[in-house]
Amino acid sequence: AQKVTQAQTEISVVEKEDVTLDCVYETRDTTYYLFWYKQPPSGELVFLIRRNSFDEQNEISGRYSWNFQKSTSSFNFTITASQVVDSAVYFCALSEAGAGANNLFFGTGTRLTVIP
Amino acid sequence: GAGVSQTPSNKVTEKGKYVELRCDPISGHTALYWYRQSLGQGPEFLIYFQGTGAADDSGLPNDRFFAVRPEGSVSTLKIQRTERGDSAVYLCASSSSGVAWETQYFGPGTRLLVL
């Protein structure tokens, strides 16, 4: 069975601090895809990144970076020099290649508050 | 181009009433998904359309829920005899062809409140 766990329910940081959001997943598929989405107060889910299970290379995009480690089934997300605009709920999600619907399985989300 | 749109943005209804929620996906996207997000939770899958057909409806909670996509673009999620437990945000997403690695793009959601 597939599962995504985001153990951190809420995190508060002061502006300019770095913060890491944890994501641990479970799947029996050897081919799968991991995603991060941002949900600002407006409510719309905004796509941030997608990784496939064969590519463990870490990725950096501006202040955002992602650390994918298959050995620990983790796909963590780090925001460097956080800003107030980063305040949102962040969701990690999993899609399995073997599943018919290819729907996303989401974690429960981490609410990040950046204090000015 | 336009993203996924959903109407209405908010819907308040009374217990036992029928509601319809509409989703207009990104133009050209053949795959369309409905999810439900309860307060403090992540979105949960309801149903997936590939073209006009419901390829997977395993996430629908019971037979009060039904969805259609008659022309392969706009989809309507229908809820009969609404219950207070149906209160949630209903999210629609679309992707180009529905394969696992594709990014799903989400609409703003419809916030349903059943009194």
Side-chain angles (χ1 to χ4, degrees):
Chain A
Q2 59 288 114
K3 186 177 179 182
V4 177
T5 301
Q6 295 180 257
Q8 303 151 309
T9 306
E10 295 191 30
I11 300 176
S12 291
V13 298
V14 177
E15 199 170 22
K16 297 184 184 176
E17 286 185 344
D18 299 347
V19 59
T20 296
L21 310 182
D22 297 334
C23 172
V24 174
Y25 61 91
E26 295 176 28
T27 177
R28 291 179 183 165
D29 274 24
T30 55
T31 303
Y32 53 89
Y33 304 87
L34 297 164
F35 300 78
W36 276 95
Y37 282 85
K38 175 181 179 180
Q39 189 172 46
S42 61
E44 190 161 342
L45 282 162
V46 177
F47 166 74
L48 295 178
I49 191 172
R50 173 188 66 216
R51 300 302 280 171
N52 71 61
S53 53
F54 299 110
D55 183 2
E56 288 193 69
Q57 204 166 21
N58 292 331
E59 183 155 340
I60 298 174
S61 176
R63 297 184 296 108
Y64 295 170
S65 62
W66 291 269
N67 182 358
F68 176 30
Q69 293 194 348
K70 288 180 76 170
S71 61
T72 55
S73 296
S74 65
F75 186 42
N76 296 338
F77 173 29
T78 297
I79 302 174
T80 302
S82 59
Q83 300 176 3
V84 173
V85 292
D86 296 327
S87 296
V89 181
Y90 290 86
F91 290 97
C92 181
L94 166 73
S95 174
E96 296 174 319
N102 300 324
N103 55 285
L104 294 168
F105 298 93
F106 285 86
T108 52
T110 298
R111 180 178 298 278
L112 174 66
T113 301
V114 181
I115 303 165
Chain B
V4 179
S5 61
Q6 293 186 245
T7 55
S9 53
N10 291 280
K11 177 71 178 178
V12 181
T13 191
E14 294 179 343
K15 181 176 178 294
K17 299 288 189 182
Y18 168 82
V19 297
E20 289 189 352
L21 312 179
R22 175 188 165 107
C23 171
D24 199 343
I26 293 172
S27 179
H29 280 192
T30 62
L32 185 146
Y33 302 79
W34 284 98
Y35 293 83
R36 180 167 72 173
Q37 185 176 20
S38 300
L39 196 61
Q41 300 296 314
E44 294 180 322
F45 169 72
L46 295 177
I47 187 169
Y48 158 64
F49 286 90
Q50 181 56 254
T52 60
D56 187 332
D57 63 359
S58 61
L60 294 177
N62 52 60
D63 61 6
R64 296 186 297 106
F65 288 74
F66 187 71
V68 295
R69 194 186 185 199
E71 297 178 357
S73 55
V74 171
S75 175
T76 305
L77 179 65
K78 307 179 181 193
I79 310 175
Q80 298 177 321
R81 304 182 304 280
T82 51
E83 299 178 356
R84 292 194 179 87
D86 299 335
S87 296
V89 176
Y90 289 81
L91 296 166
C92 177
S94 72
S95 69
S96 181
S97 59
V99 294
W101 60 83
E102 281 183 346
T103 298
Q104 293 182 25
Y105 296 94
F106 284 79
T110 293
R111 189 175 301 274
L112 175 66
L113 178 61
V114 181
L115 300 175

